[in-house]
Amino acid sequence: SAVSGESRRSTSGSDRSPPRPLPPDRRVLDHDVPTEEPVTFHFLAKFYPENAEEELVQEITQHLFFLQVKKQILDEKIYCPPEASVLLASYAVQAKYGDYDPNVHKRGFLAQEELLPKRVINLYQMTPEMWEERITAWYAEHRGRARDEAEMEYLKIAQDLEMYGVNYFAIRNKKGTELLLGVDALGLHIYDPDNRLTPKISFPWNEIRNISYSDKEFTIKPLDKKIDVFKFNSSKLRVNKLILQLCIGNHDLFMRRRKADSLEVQQMKAQAREEKARKQMERQRLAREKQMREEAERTRDELERRLMQLKEEATMANEALMRSEETADLLAEKAQITEEEAKLLAQKAAEAEQEMQRIKATAIRTEEEKRLMEQKVLEAEMLALKMAEESERRAKEADQLKQDLQEARESERRAKQKLLEITSKSSYTSMNSSTTALPTDLPSFNLISESLSFDFKDTDMKRLSMEIEKEKVEYMEKSKHLQEQLNELKTEIEALKLKERETALDILHNENASRGNSKHNTIKKPQAQGRRPICI
């Protein structure tokens, strides 16, 4: 991009020196590159933006720069504290997978992803599942962010890290003391070799009058002539050339950022805003269509569920009706049998009565015969009484069976009535389902380009200043909320930390955090020192 500087192909450098850019005006083989094969080149940004959101205009530039910064953090070339690493990982997951869906993104879906620096993983007694759980918890909060928005949030957090955008070079001062020179978008910084986070002193670009080198000696002349000139030596002349290139490029960009944008940059930003607005409206349209489709599917599922419920009720009613009919038939058959038995008992009782009358008429004269006859008469009377009682009981039982038959027929009548009601209700529901079904022709949400217009010609600086102040206030509030989240996560995982595995950078970062130091307030140290000479 024109603002962040041209990207260059560069060979991978060592851990202590930055990659060396290849000038575009010479053939690749004309450079001092390794002769063994294969030769690896990296397509990297040479200059880092101060404010990624403002300076990375095109989406492809933002994406490539995001990949570069992400790799530097994972390779530990940029120090990132553990809690910030988890947050950055959640934005990287959002950029790759889109919105979180628990039905799709199940436990273990991040098992093959490289999301955290190995230093952070080794620092805590936590399993991969525990890290995934904490990353997923923040990932779920990023719902609705598109890929470019998630990548920009990643860069906005990364640009506040102490080692972001700093190119380190090994140097010696006039006394021969080994130091590190850091060159970034804000200025020049001098570090102890063992502390790359906090500079001993910084020279903002707007306080530097001149930078030059002669052979291996490098000279920095402050704008304030009362401050001593700072000189140092580097190991190679080629390193001095690279330092000077980075200084000139970063200084030029530093000054350009503080001036009004050129016409070309204004046009690029206007096009980017138009494209962003168009994509935003397209996402809103898709979101509305998705919501309508989900509502239609929910309505369809509800109607299908209701229809299945009515079918089950109809089936149960049919079964109840069949059982009622079978019960009624059994009761009718039993009542008929009981009635026939009652008639048979009555017939037997009549025959017994006749037999008793016949026995009485033919009683013998002798006392024995009379006694025997009386005994038979008594037995006949008892049998007749017993037959009468049994006949009466059978008659009552027949009456009870008739009553049960009547109740069964009444239950059958109610079951038929309920089945008729359910059948009519099912027909009514089917009619409603057909009337509430989705129309085949959904309303289209085509955007008419003539109805969307943007006015990017307003150059009222006062209005811009008010917008910038408003954005600053919003950014501060958001930063405060973000810091609270980071502190909460840090407190949560602090108990699992292995103190003996802390690196020197971890210890230095914790000390800076306890003192309230950051990369933005250390840049102002030379101003606080007044006009005293520089001694490093």
Side-chain angles (χ1 to χ4, degrees):
S1 103
V3 177
S4 63
E6 296 182 359
S7 300
R8 293 285 184 267
R9 285 179 177 263
S10 61
T11 59
S12 57
S14 63
D15 292 338
R16 297 190 61 84
S17 60
R20 183 167 56 87
L22 299 182
D25 55 351
R26 295 169 57 190
R27 296 173 65 247
V28 173
L29 296 179
D30 292 340
H31 297 83
D32 183 16
V33 297
T35 56
E36 67 272 6
E37 295 183 358
V39 180
T40 303
F41 295 89
H42 297 282
F43 189 66
L44 302 174
K46 183 177 180 181
F47 303 104
Y48 286 67
E50 285 185 47
N51 186 340
E53 187 174 22
E54 178 67 23
E55 299 175 40
L56 299 181
V57 178
Q58 296 179 337
E59 185 175 337
I60 183 61
T61 307
Q62 172 187 309
H63 177 64
L64 293 175
F65 189 65
F66 159 76
L67 295 178
Q68 176 177 338
V69 174
K70 177 186 172 187
K71 179 172 176 57
Q72 289 178 326
I73 291 176
L74 294 179
D75 292 345
E76 301 182 24
K77 294 181 180 178
I78 296 178
Y79 174 81
C80 184
E83 60 276 8
S85 299
V86 176
L87 180 58
L88 291 178
S90 67
Y91 280 115
V93 174
Q94 176 71 20
K96 181 174 181 179
Y97 291 95
D99 288 343
Y100 173 69
D101 185 351
N103 297 323
V104 177
H105 306 120
K106 298 182 179 179
R107 181 182 294 273
F109 79 105
L110 298 179
Q112 304 301 321
E113 297 290 339
E114 184 182 6
L115 297 171
L116 298 172
K118 292 182 174 58
R119 170 187 54 80
V120 174
I121 296 175
N122 295 331
L123 187 58
Y124 294 89
Q125 289 180 314
M126 295 175 62
T127 62
E129 291 76 15
M130 296 169 68
W131 285 117
E132 179 179 315
E133 180 181 353
R134 282 158 176 79
I135 293 173
T136 305
W138 265 348
Y139 165 43
E141 295 182 4
H142 304 329
R143 173 174 293 276
R145 293 186 185 273
R147 189 194 76 170
D148 58 327
E149 294 175 337
E151 290 177 350
M152 181 53 67
E153 291 299 323
Y154 187 103
L155 292 175
K156 285 161 66 175
I157 296 172
Q159 70 187 6
D160 288 334
L161 299 176
E162 291 91 339
M163 295 175 64
Y164 165 85
V166 182
N167 293 306
Y168 295 94
F169 300 91
I171 61 172
R172 293 176 182 270
N173 62 6
K174 291 186 294 184
K175 298 179 181 179
T177 305
E178 292 186 355
L179 299 169
L180 285 177
L181 172 68
V183 184
D184 68 359
L186 300 176
L188 298 176
H189 315 278
I190 309 300
Y191 299 85
D192 279 329
D194 297 330
N195 184 357
R196 297 192 179 197
L197 297 182
T198 310
K200 294 168 67 68
I201 191 170
S202 296
F203 299 92
W205 292 120
N206 58 344
E207 295 183 7
I208 297 176
R209 178 165 55 92
N210 180 264
I211 301 174
S212 62
Y213 73 91
S214 175
D215 195 15
K216 296 181 181 180
E217 185 178 69
F218 210 96
T219 304
I220 301 176
K221 295 181 180 180
L223 191 63
D224 190 345
K225 295 181 179 180
K226 296 182 179 180
I227 299 179
D228 290 346
V229 174
F230 179 72
K231 295 183 179 182
F232 61 86
N233 295 319
S234 62
S235 58
K236 297 180 182 179
L237 177 62
R238 188 177 62 185
V239 175
N240 272 348
K241 292 182 179 180
L242 178 57
I243 294 174
L244 187 61
Q245 289 178 7
L246 291 174
C247 289
I248 293 174
N250 278 300
H251 180 270
D252 180 53
L253 290 172
F254 181 86
M255 302 307 294
R256 284 168 56 185
R257 292 184 188 109
R258 282 146 184 83
K259 296 179 182 179
D261 292 333
S262 64
L263 181 60
E264 180 184 1
V265 174
Q266 290 179 13
Q267 291 176 348
M268 290 176 61
K269 289 186 176 181
Q271 292 175 358
R273 284 194 292 266
E274 290 179 359
E275 182 66 16
K276 187 175 181 180
R278 185 189 66 78
K279 289 185 177 180
Q280 182 66 23
M281 296 186 68
E282 180 68 14
R283 283 196 291 266
Q284 291 176 356
R285 181 183 69 82
L286 293 176
R288 287 196 299 268
E289 291 182 355
K290 181 180 179 181
Q291 183 179 2
M292 292 177 61
R293 183 168 62 253
E294 291 176 350
E295 290 178 356
E297 290 176 354
R298 283 196 297 268
T299 303
R300 182 197 62 192
D301 294 342
E302 178 63 24
L303 290 175
E304 290 179 352
R305 187 190 64 79
R306 182 60 181 160
L307 182 60
M308 291 296 297
Q309 183 179 355
L310 291 174
K311 286 182 179 179
E312 291 177 359
E313 291 180 0
T315 303
M316 293 174 62
N318 275 326
E319 292 176 354
L321 177 60
M322 293 176 63
R323 287 195 299 270
S324 299
E325 290 176 349
E326 291 175 357
T327 304
D329 293 341
L330 289 174
L331 289 175
E333 183 179 354
K334 190 173 182 179
Q336 184 178 0
I337 293 173
T338 304
E339 188 175 355
E340 290 177 356
E341 289 180 351
K343 289 180 180 180
L344 183 60
L345 289 174
Q347 183 179 357
K348 287 184 179 181
E351 291 177 355
E353 182 68 21
Q354 291 177 1
E355 180 67 17
M356 185 184 64
Q357 294 295 333
R358 187 182 64 78
I359 290 174
K360 286 182 179 180
T362 58
I364 59 176
R365 299 177 181 176
T366 64
E367 190 66 27
E368 182 65 22
E369 289 178 349
K370 184 178 179 181
R371 185 180 62 79
L372 291 174
M373 190 61 66
E374 289 178 353
Q375 185 177 358
K376 288 183 178 181
V377 169
L378 182 60
E379 291 178 356
E381 289 179 350
M382 292 179 64
L383 179 60
L385 182 61
K386 187 176 181 180
M387 289 293 182
E389 291 177 353
E390 182 67 17
S391 176
E392 185 179 357
R393 187 182 66 79
R394 291 289 183 176
K396 290 182 179 180
E397 185 175 351
D399 293 339
Q400 182 65 33
L401 288 174
K402 288 180 180 180
Q403 184 177 356
D404 292 344
L405 177 61
Q406 187 66 23
E407 291 178 355
R409 287 175 178 172
E410 181 65 21
S411 299
E412 178 183 355
R413 185 186 64 78
R414 287 197 301 270
K416 288 181 178 180
Q417 185 176 359
K418 184 175 181 181
L419 178 62
L420 182 60
E421 292 177 357
I422 293 175
T423 305
S424 61
K425 188 183 300 183
S426 175
S427 301
Y428 176 74
T429 306
S430 301
M431 292 176 63
N432 287 343
S433 174
S434 62
T435 57
T436 56
L438 285 175
T440 57
D441 298 330
L442 286 172
S444 63
F445 294 91
N446 294 329
L447 298 176
I448 304 175
S449 59
E450 289 81 359
S451 64
L452 180 64
S453 63
F454 298 92
D455 185 8
F456 300 115
K457 299 179 180 180
D458 187 0
T459 57
D460 187 354
M461 297 302 295
K462 187 173 181 180
R463 180 177 61 82
L464 284 176
S465 300
M466 292 177 64
E467 291 181 359
I468 292 172
E469 288 299 325
K470 181 179 178 182
E471 290 178 359
K472 285 183 178 179
V473 172
E474 292 176 353
Y475 175 75
M476 292 299 293
E477 292 178 354
K478 187 175 181 181
S479 299
K480 182 179 179 181
H481 176 66
L482 177 63
Q483 193 61 41
E484 291 176 354
Q485 286 184 307
L486 293 175
N487 291 336
E488 182 179 349
L489 176 62
K490 183 177 181 181
T491 304
E492 180 183 351
I493 64 178
E494 187 68 23
L496 302 173
K497 180 185 289 187
L498 299 173
K499 294 289 186 179
E500 64 274 10
R501 294 185 183 178
E502 281 189 325
T503 64
L505 290 178
D506 290 321
I507 297 172
L508 290 170
H509 174 76
N510 293 334
E511 292 176 353
N512 288 340
S514 62
R515 295 170 185 163
N517 291 339
S518 68
K519 68 179 291 184
H520 296 290
N521 58 25
T522 55
I523 196 70
K524 299 180 180 179
K525 285 185 178 179
Q527 299 175 357
Q529 292 173 351
R531 303 181 181 272
R532 292 183 288 110
I534 300 171
C535 297
I536 300 178

